[in-house]
Amino acid sequence: MNKSDTSAMTTVLVVEDESSIASMLTMALQFMGFEVVTAARGSEALEQAAAHGPDVILLDVLLPDMDGFEVCRRLRVAGVSAPVLFVTARDAVEDKVRGLELADDYVTKPFDLNEVVARIRAVMRRGRELPANGRRLKAGWVELDQDTREVWQHGRPVQLSSTEFALLRYLLENADQVLSKAQMLDNVWSYDFQGESGIVETYIYYLRRKLGDTDQTLIHTVRGAGYLVRSSPPAPSVEG
């Protein structure tokens, strides 16, 4: 592993109850130049997040007092917006889906330290990089402000994770163009997902649900090619 200037002044909160794993992560991240704060319990993680304002959080799912999913929910309710990466031995598909819906990434144990660091940097880039042109992007009933990182659907605010925001921004930047899954992985995730194109489908599903696009009039699936956001979609159907 090589040190990098991108880690300067970055604080990572490591929430892990296994002391050996916590120590390994702490030493590796400190070597890379990160500031590290640790917690062994969910309640302690909430306290440390409030006290230190971390830039990113590595969060185990299996904790002694509450599971990581609940910790993540409480962090968001408390207004902590730092990207969250679950680092856990729970590798069932349903756990990954649940984790990705709540947080920004999901890494299963055993993990490679280089991969963890790469994913930390990737979620931070997704949260910080802003396009140079224009402050707001709009398509249909959805509007996105690149400066304030706010999103609205039909004028109502929508809460998105940093990954969801980055994906929506990329789609809106390229409205009326068909984008392949490979393009999205390369431009949004910025690291090798080793062919896990299913991650794109998962996040497209989250966006559609949060943006009220259940009938896919805004984010259209182009079979065999990818996805397309229509800048002027037909009005969504109204149930009831």
Side-chain angles (χ1 to χ4, degrees), residues 138-139 170-179 228-231:
K138 185 174 182 180
Y170 181 64
L171 290 168
L172 295 181
E173 285 178 317
N174 297 279
D176 300 315
Q177 299 180 47
V178 177
L179 301 171
L228 175 149
V229 163
R230 298 184 172 102
S231 58

Side-chain angles (χ1 to χ4, degrees), residues 115 119 181-182 185-186 191-201:
E115 179 186 7
R119 294 195 180 205
K181 294 177 184 177
L185 285 172
D186 185 51
Y191 59 86
D192 184 11
F193 245 94
Q194 298 182 339
E196 293 184 33
S197 61
I199 196 73
V200 175
E201 297 174 4

Side-chain angles (χ1 to χ4, degrees), residues 223-240:
R223 292 192 178 278
Y227 298 95
L228 175 149
V229 163
R230 298 184 172 102
S231 58
S232 299
S237 60
V238 178
E239 297 180 1

Side-chain angles (χ1 to χ4, degrees), residues 40-159:
R41 301 172 65 86
S43 56
E44 186 182 359
L46 298 173
E47 294 171 358
Q48 295 284 54
H52 296 278
D55 298 290
V56 63
I57 300 170
L58 296 184
L59 179 57
D60 190 12
V61 173
L62 299 174
L63 296 170
D65 54 344
M66 67 182 84
D67 68 35
F69 300 135
E70 178 62 21
V71 174
C72 189
R73 281 192 291 268
R74 294 191 186 190
L75 287 168
R76 296 311 186 217
V77 169
V80 177
S81 59
V84 174
L85 288 78
F86 283 117
V87 181
T88 177
R90 293 174 62 168
D91 58 359
V93 173
E94 56 268 26
D95 288 324
K96 290 182 179 180
V97 170
R98 186 182 180 192
L100 287 169
E101 187 171 13
L102 290 169
D104 298 276
D105 209 340
Y106 195 100
V107 182
T108 55
K109 299 175 182 176
F111 53 80
D112 182 275
L113 286 171
N114 288 293
E115 179 186 7
V116 172
V117 172
R119 294 195 180 205
I120 288 173
R121 290 178 176 150
V123 296
M124 292 188 66
R125 282 197 300 270
R126 296 201 290 270
R128 291 176 178 173
E129 291 178 354
L130 295 175
N133 300 321
R135 294 180 57 194
R136 291 204 175 192
L137 299 170
K138 185 174 182 180
W141 61 91
V142 173
E143 188 170 5
L144 177 151
D145 190 305
Q146 301 175 85
D147 294 334
T148 65
R149 302 186 64 77
E150 294 176 285
V151 175
W152 302 267
Q153 64 108 343
H154 293 296
R156 296 187 295 271
V158 179
Q159 297 298 317

